[in-house]
């Protein structure tokens, strides 16, 4: 009989501190998500420094909550997984340090996870995550080439800034989309830099 494998997964790439316990790679035993949306709404978008500080404040509570929901202890899991890229650097570091500490203290394997993994190859991926917007050609696992990326701002941040100027609520994307569907194009946009 095959033993069940439990992984404690940690995600902190942007503005939500999240953990889940996954059984055999597919069954979600428990999940806890602590969002910072209300805090960042006051600024019209995610403030990276505030996000990382809030992750530091919340990560222990999120761990305790997900373990309680699953009726488990860290000793019961077989490995610790953590998002290491892409995302906001400070936010990622909080999750990574928590995962490394748990893996060391409880002698568990550490699995680093990139948002770009587990897809059929070759593929062209548009990554819009945290502070990043990238167009990536992926030929195989761990074999990819960034074809282009934003130079100064991520698409999601642009939506938040436009929404703030238009006095629309945060997050900007869904609100701008709602009004865009009602609008009529009135001018042509220039071709972006190639």
């Amino acid at each position: 009989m095959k033993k069940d494998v439990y992984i404690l997964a940690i995600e902190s790439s942007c503005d939500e501190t999240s953990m889940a316990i996954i059984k055999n790679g597919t069954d979600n035993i428990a999940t806890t998500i602590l969002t910072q949306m209300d805090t960042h709404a006051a600024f019209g978008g995610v403030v990276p420094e505030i996000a990382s500080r809030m992750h530091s404040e919340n990560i222990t509570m999120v761990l305790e909550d997900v373990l309680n929901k699953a009726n488990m202890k860290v000793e019961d899991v077989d490995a610790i997984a953590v998002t290491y890229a892409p995302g906001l650097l400070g936010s990622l570091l909080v999750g990574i340090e928590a995962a490394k500490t748990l893996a060391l203290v409880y002698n568990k394997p550490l699995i680093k996870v990139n948002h770009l993994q587990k897809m059929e190859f070759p593929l062209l991926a548009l990554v819009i995550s945290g502070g990043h917007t990238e167009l990536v050609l992926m030929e195989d696992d761990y074999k990819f080439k960034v074809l282009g990326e934003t130079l100064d701002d991520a698409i999601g941040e642009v939506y938040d800034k436009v929404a703030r100027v238009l006095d629309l609520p945060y997050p900007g994307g869904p609100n701008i989309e709602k009004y865009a569907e009602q609008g009529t194009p009135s001018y042509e946009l220039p071709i972006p830099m190639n």
Side-chain angles (χ1 to χ4, degrees):
M1 182 190 266
K2 190 174 175 184
K3 178 191 177 300
D4 289 326
V5 175
Y6 294 89
I7 295 177
L8 172 64
I10 301 172
E11 158 49 30
S12 66
S13 63
C14 190
D15 63 336
E16 292 181 336
T17 312
S18 178
M19 292 190 195
I21 296 179
I22 307 298
K23 176 182 170 184
N24 298 329
T26 57
D27 298 334
N28 185 347
I29 303 303
T31 298
T32 297
I33 302 171
L34 197 59
T35 184
Q36 303 174 11
M37 188 175 288
D38 291 343
T39 299
H40 296 290
F43 302 100
V46 177
V47 179
E49 178 63 26
I50 293 172
S52 60
R53 287 183 188 192
M54 290 184 74
H55 283 303
S56 295
E57 295 168 5
N58 298 333
I59 198 127
T60 304
M61 291 184 296
V62 171
L63 174 62
E64 289 174 3
D65 190 66
V66 78
L67 290 170
N68 286 337
K69 285 179 180 176
N71 196 26
M72 296 175 75
K73 298 180 286 194
V74 178
E75 293 94 323
D76 299 329
V77 302
D78 297 288
I80 312 292
V82 63
T83 302
Y84 79 93
L88 301 174
L89 182 60
S91 294
L92 287 167
L93 286 173
V94 175
I96 291 167
E97 290 306 313
K100 286 168 58 178
T101 301
L102 290 169
L104 180 66
V105 169
Y106 293 96
N107 195 29
K108 303 290 181 184
L110 181 64
I111 304 166
K112 63 181 190 172
V113 178
N114 184 306
H115 296 202
L116 298 176
Q117 294 174 340
K118 304 297 179 197
M119 301 179 192
E120 286 188 36
F121 303 106
L123 62 90
L124 187 62
L126 174 62
V127 181
I128 304 173
S129 172
H132 296 77
T133 300
E134 300 174 336
L135 191 59
V136 181
L137 173 63
M138 300 181 63
E139 296 172 8
D140 205 345
D141 280 323
Y142 307 104
K143 186 177 178 188
F144 55 88
K145 178 181 179 185
V146 177
L147 300 177
E149 59 189 320
T150 51
L151 299 175
D152 58 354
D153 217 345
I155 290 174
E157 291 179 50
V158 172
Y159 277 116
D160 293 337
K161 289 174 181 174
V162 168
R164 187 170 55 227
V165 169
L166 297 175
D167 263 343
L168 297 175
Y170 173 80
N175 294 295
I176 291 172
E177 180 181 16
K178 181 175 76 176
Y179 287 104
E181 289 173 348
Q182 300 169 4
T184 305
S186 58
Y187 60 90
E188 289 186 31
L189 294 173
I191 296 173
M193 183 173 66
N194 186 346

